Amino acid sequence: MNKLLMALTLLITTQVNATAVPCDANDSECTPVDEWRFGIALGGGVISNPLHDGENIPLVVVPYISYYGEHLFLDNGTLGYTFHYTDKFDS
């Protein structure tokens, strides 16, 4: 119980130093707020099936979808919410 309480305390009090920088339209690493992004990847690959004697799932066309709002985000199937955001810390 003490380890859990200590881990939660560290998680809450940890601060990440980040500087808010406006997005450049040509920067692929920066995603503007309130903008949807769609993409498609073509190629050959598979997702391995973890079930015993399960067949692999072929991947020929893989979609990419992302949206980042003020608090809500969706990034390729990962849905999340930012409860509190400042320039140095978000939770």
Side-chain angles (χ1 to χ4, degrees), residues 1-84:
M1 181 66 179
N2 288 337
K3 288 181 182 180
L4 177 63
L5 184 58
M6 186 176 205
L8 287 175
T9 303
L10 287 173
L11 180 66
I12 291 170
T13 59
T14 301
Q15 291 189 2
V16 176
N17 292 326
T19 305
V21 177
C23 284
D24 181 12
N26 297 325
D27 187 3
S28 64
E29 295 294 319
C30 185
T31 302
V33 175
D34 289 332
E35 183 176 303
W36 285 91
R37 289 193 171 191
F38 300 95
I40 294 178
L42 300 174
V46 295
I47 294 177
S48 59
N49 193 336
L51 300 176
H52 182 66
D53 289 334
E55 293 185 20
N56 292 335
I57 301 166
L59 298 174
V60 178
V61 178
V62 180
Y64 175 78
I65 302 169
S66 72
Y67 170 79
Y68 287 86
E70 289 293 325
H71 296 283
L72 182 71
F73 68 89
L74 170 68
D75 191 358
N76 222 19
T78 302
L79 181 64
Y81 187 84
T82 302
F83 291 101
H84 178 70

